[in-house]
């Protein structure tokens, strides 16, 4: 071989996993030829590779290779793997044995981990069935050795909805200027579990129907019926359909991927095994559905978990899935990059304001509220008292006081009827009503439900209720996951965290311990980059200027737009920021379908965090989602909504000055280039309408891209301020 590979210096181990269940270990060695091809498949068995090939999880000495063999008739087949150091496959690395089972039990998916490779080296690979059936050729690059002083270039992506849209934004990665990318990070929402959600999947392009429709969940009604994946077959079909896209296939063929998931690989706005389709009308915990989604994810993604590398043999059975999955992991690329990938969804608690939360529930008494307010005012009790007297806080009574016995019984009966009318089953309606009609209750909410038994709020203590944080309905996402009053919510978050640190920790204790330990590793790496599927940037909308035109149900104050993301855990985020700032970390994130550059500023020691939030590849933009959500708020003028949303990117930096660039109505990808002195994140964007028709072969498409770049200089080990150009 021209590069001098031999049996002595190129002993390798290939570890094979047929999908995510069974594994075998294969030893191989380098040689000068490709070995003897396996005989052709019997004529009765037709084999193809409809999802092409992919590679992932590059390390200095290993790579994961993937394909899916589709057979007719369906059954098990054996593939031959070929790996070479050249595109012509003249310099083959012979694997002995090199026969890879592709089993029908794993839908024909194969993951192969090849170890013993050379750092910083490009390899080519393909799969064969006999001598005539050959997969497309893929290429990949191993990570540079930790001592290598080399530039690192990678792209990061998220949110690639297939329904109604096309992957025109990915064309940016296929031009000559990006041919040298080392890898691609996918931050989640690789697939979307629904086939046409009217909230965000409306477009003029692609559609598909689940083959196993009986195994899916029907959502919507009338002309707006659509389906969500539920069975293993459903989730597998999502990956097969999405991976059929020719542009996505080309990106996989060119670059190794490093994947994490967000919510739509399971269900929208999920946490652990909980689904949110009914907005609290039903208890939607479904661990088997969660495991179905995870099994398909690991079958179709070129991933090797840490538990799969122990002892050199892959082994990932159903018992290794939820609640035992550990997707978080880290990578080293040369002297300059330590990349840490986190899992925001699998261990986080419920949305702090639950969708089925009774708006009148008081979560902080007057004494508790005053204590947190006083601390927030640096111990100034008078300032705390003055703020408590303002209109954001709730007057409340204790329904368990004998004086309010009649109110308690009347509220119980009224809520039982209301929960039933809202769609809850009788047993659930009774349980929710009984929990709500006790303890401290917001007088304003009580009076709205029982106007004939109105309680005078004068002189009643003040605290914080769900209604004081923006929740108005018995069921629903407004005031629970979206559009939450910032001031009262922040106070409650501080109170929650003081009572239990886990209540405001989206990573969970085990992952947080792992992250703290890994942040201390690789201290010689120039850049620590934390990859989170969900943005940590605060998205705040201050409606104070609109006080005269807002309905009474919407106070003219500052709101968190989306507390499904890290704004939902502001106290826990402070702890995370303290750890990241000490390491001068850079954050890359997605989920929100918008492009944001955020510079959180330097502390007294000059340490600084910078965040790059990338837009969706093809998903409907954040601005579009806000417009659709606002249509469901009774009494809100649509013209006002359009004015606010169109000005959103000007309003948000005023409320959150750390936000240096905002584009909430775009699609795109981000390419990061870093070395010993500088990190530059270049976001290439398209207008959202440009993904509704297939333009991947259009010569005019590149002219439609527009770009913004955030640059951070490293000085004496610390991050400088982000410069946006």
């Amino acid at each position: 071989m021209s590069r001098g590979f031999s049996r002595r210096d190129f002993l390798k181990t290939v570890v094979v996993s047929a999908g995510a269940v069974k594994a075998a270990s294969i030893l191989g060695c380098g040689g000068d030829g490709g070995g003897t091809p396996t005989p052709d498949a019997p004529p009765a068995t037709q084999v193809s590779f409809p999802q092409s090939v992919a590679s992932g999880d590059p390390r200095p000495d290993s790579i994961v290779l993937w394909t899916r063999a589709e057979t007719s008739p369906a059954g098990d087949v054996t593939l031959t793997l070929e790996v070479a150091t050249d595109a012509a496959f003249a310099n083959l690395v012979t694997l002995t044995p090199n026969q890879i089972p592709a089993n029908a039990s794993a839908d024909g998916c194969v993951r192969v981990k090849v170890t013993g490779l050379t750092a910083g080296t490009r390899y080519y690979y393909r799969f064969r069935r006999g001598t005539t059936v050959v997969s497309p050729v893929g290429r990949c690059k191993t990570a540079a050795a930790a001592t290598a002083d080399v530039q690192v270039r990678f792209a990061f992506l998220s949110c690639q909805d297939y329904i109604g849209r096309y992957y025109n934004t990915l064309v940016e990665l296929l031009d000559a200027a990006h041919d040298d990318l080392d890898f691609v990070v996918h931050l989640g929402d690789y697939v979307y579990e629904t086939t046409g959600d009217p909230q965000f999947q409306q477009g003029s392009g692609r559609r598909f129907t689940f083959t196993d429709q009986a195994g899916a969940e029907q959502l919507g009604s009338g002309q707006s019926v659509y389906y969500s994946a539920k069975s293993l077959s459903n989730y597998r079909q999502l990956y097969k359909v999405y991976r059929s896209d020719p542009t996505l296939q080309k990106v996989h063929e060119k670059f190794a991927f490093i994947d994490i998931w967000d919510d739509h690989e399971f269900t929208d706005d999920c946490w652990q095994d909980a689904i949110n389709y009914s907005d609290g009308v039903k208890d939607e915990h479904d661990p088997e559905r969660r495991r179905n989604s995870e099994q398909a994810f690991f079958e179709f993604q070129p991933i090797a978990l840490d538990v799969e590398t122990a002892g050199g043999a892959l082994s990932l059975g159903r018992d290794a899935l939820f609640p035992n999955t550990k997707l978080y992991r880290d990578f080293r690329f040369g002297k300059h990059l330590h990349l840490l990938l986190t899992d925001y969804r699998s261990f986080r608690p419920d949305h702090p304001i639950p969708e089925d939360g009774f708006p009148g529930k008081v979560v902080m008494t007057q004494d508790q509220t005053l204590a947190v307010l006083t601390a927030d005012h640096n111990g100034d009790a008078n300032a705390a008292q003055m703020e408590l007297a303002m209109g954001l806080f709730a007057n409340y009574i204790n329904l368990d006081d004998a004086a309010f016995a009649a109110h308690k019984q009347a509220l119980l009966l009224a809520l039982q009827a209301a929960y039933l009318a809202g769609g809850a089953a009788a047993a659930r309606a009774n349980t929710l009503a009984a929990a709500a009609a006790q303890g401290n209750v917001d007088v304003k909410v009580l009076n709205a439900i029982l106007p004939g038994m109105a309680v005078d709020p004068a002189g009643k203590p003040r605290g914080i209720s769900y209604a004081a944080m923006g929740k108005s309905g018995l069921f629903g996402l407004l005031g629970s996951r979206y559009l939450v009053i910032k001031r009262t919510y922040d106070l409650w978050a501080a109170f929650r965290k003081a009572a239990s640190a886990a209540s405001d920790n989206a990573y969970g204790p085990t992952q947080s311990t792992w992250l703290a330990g890994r942040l201390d590793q690789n201290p010689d790496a120039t850049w620590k980059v934390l990859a989170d599927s969900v943005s940590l940037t605060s998205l705040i909308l201050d409606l104070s200027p609109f006080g005269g035109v807002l309905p009474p149900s919407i106070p003219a104050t500052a709101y968190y737009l989306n507390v499904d993301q890290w704004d939902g855990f502001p106290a826990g985020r402070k702890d995370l920021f303290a750890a990241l700032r000490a390491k001068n970390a850079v954050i890359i994130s997605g989920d929100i379908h918008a492009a944001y550059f955020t510079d959180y500023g330097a502390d007294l020691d000059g340490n600084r965090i910078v965040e790059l939030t990338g837009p969706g590849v093809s998903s409907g933009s954040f601005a579009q989602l806000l417009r659709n959500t606002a249509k469901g708020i009774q009494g809100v003028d649509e013209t006002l909504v359009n004015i606010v949303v169109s000005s959103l990117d000007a309003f948000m930096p005023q409320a959150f000055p750390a936000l240096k660039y905002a584009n909430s109505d775009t699609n795109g990808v981000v390419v990061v280039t870093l070395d010993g002195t500088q990190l530059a994140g270049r976001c290439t964007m398209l207008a959202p309408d440009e993904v509704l028709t297939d333009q991947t072969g259009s010569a005019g498409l590149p002219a439609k891209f527009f770009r913004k770049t955030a640059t951070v200089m490293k000085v004496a080990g610390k991050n400088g301020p982000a410069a946006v150009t």
Side-chain angles (χ1 to χ4, degrees), residues 223-293:
Q223 297 299 311
S224 299
V225 166
Y226 62 102
Y227 291 85
S228 169
K230 186 173 183 180
S231 69
L232 176 58
S233 172
N234 293 156
Y235 283 108
R236 283 172 167 172
Q237 187 180 356
L238 289 172
Y239 288 95
K240 284 185 281 192
V241 169
Y242 278 57
R243 197 72 73 79
S244 70
D245 179 87
T247 305
L248 180 59
Q249 286 186 2
K250 289 175 184 175
V251 177
H252 272 292
E253 290 163 8
K254 287 190 71 172
F255 309 114
F257 271 53
I258 300 175
D259 295 278
I260 56 176
W261 54 42
D262 191 37
D263 52 344
H264 286 286
E265 284 87 353
F266 175 40
T267 64
D268 183 31
D269 287 356
C270 65
W271 59 278
Q272 299 181 32
D273 65 339
I275 303 159
N276 296 297
Y277 292 138
S278 75
D279 290 332
V281 172
K282 298 183 292 185
D283 181 349
E284 294 186 278
H285 287 275
D286 194 340
E288 280 304 299
R289 185 177 190 165
R290 174 85 202 195
R291 284 188 278 271
N292 288 341
S293 71

Side-chain angles (χ1 to χ4, degrees), residues 45 47 71 73-78 101-106 108 129:
T45 302
V47 180
T71 65
D76 300 344
V77 293
T78 299
N103 295 328
S105 62
R129 171 61 172 167

Side-chain angles (χ1 to χ4, degrees), residues 102-125:
N103 295 328
S105 62
D107 206 12
C109 293
V110 171
R111 288 183 298 149
V112 182
K113 181 165 186 176
V114 183
T115 65
L117 301 177
T118 301
T121 301
R122 180 168 288 174
Y123 291 91
Y124 299 82
Y125 63 96

Side-chain angles (χ1 to χ4, degrees), residues 637-657:
D637 180 76
E638 189 170 342
T639 302
L640 174 62
V641 170
N642 289 331
I643 292 172
V644 172
V645 173
S646 64
S647 303
L648 188 66
D649 294 331
F651 289 150
M652 290 195 301
Q654 294 176 21
F656 186 60

